[in-house]
Amino acid sequence: NKPSFDDIIILLRELCSFVDLRRFDETDEYFESTFNIIFTNDKNMSEFRQRLSSFGKGISVTFFDDKGLLSSW
C-alpha cells in the first residue's frame, strides 16, 4: 500500500524541525513532491527511510544536503 501525500506530511512533521513543500505533481497513478526539510537529529533520517519502506516497494527518495555532506571536514 503506497503512502498518500498526507502520510508523507505526517511523517515529516513528526521527524523534522522544518518542512517546506517546494513542488507537488500528481496523476491518477502517482505523485511526486519536493521538500526542503531539516531533520531534528541524525537518527530521524534513518527512521524516515525505514517508515517509508514499510509502505512497500515503488517508493523512491532522494536526499540532498544543501550544506555539503563533507562540510565539517
Side-chain angles (χ1 to χ4, degrees), residues 3-12 24 31:
S4 69
F5 179 72
D6 290 339
D7 292 330
I8 302 297
I9 295 295
I10 289 167
L11 279 177
L12 289 174
F24 181 77
F31 72 89

Side-chain angles (χ1 to χ4, degrees), residues 5 12 17 23-24 39 42 46 48-49 52 59 61 64:
F5 179 72
L12 289 174
S17 61
R23 182 181 68 82
F24 181 77
F39 286 105
D42 295 341
S46 294
F48 179 76
R49 292 176 62 224
L52 271 185
I59 300 169
V61 177
F64 292 97

Side-chain angles (χ1 to χ4, degrees), residues 11-12 14-19 36-49 61 63-64:
L11 279 177
L12 289 174
E14 182 180 330
L15 299 171
C16 299
S17 61
F18 176 81
V19 178
N36 282 339
I37 61 172
I38 298 173
F39 286 105
T40 53
N41 61 55
D42 295 341
K43 292 179 183 177
N44 284 2
M45 182 176 167
S46 294
E47 183 175 343
F48 179 76
R49 292 176 62 224
V61 177
F63 293 100
F64 292 97

Side-chain angles (χ1 to χ4, degrees), residues 47-63:
E47 183 175 343
F48 179 76
R49 292 176 62 224
Q50 289 172 351
R51 289 173 64 180
L52 271 185
S53 68
S54 72
F55 286 103
K57 295 183 180 190
I59 300 169
S60 175
V61 177
T62 303
F63 293 100

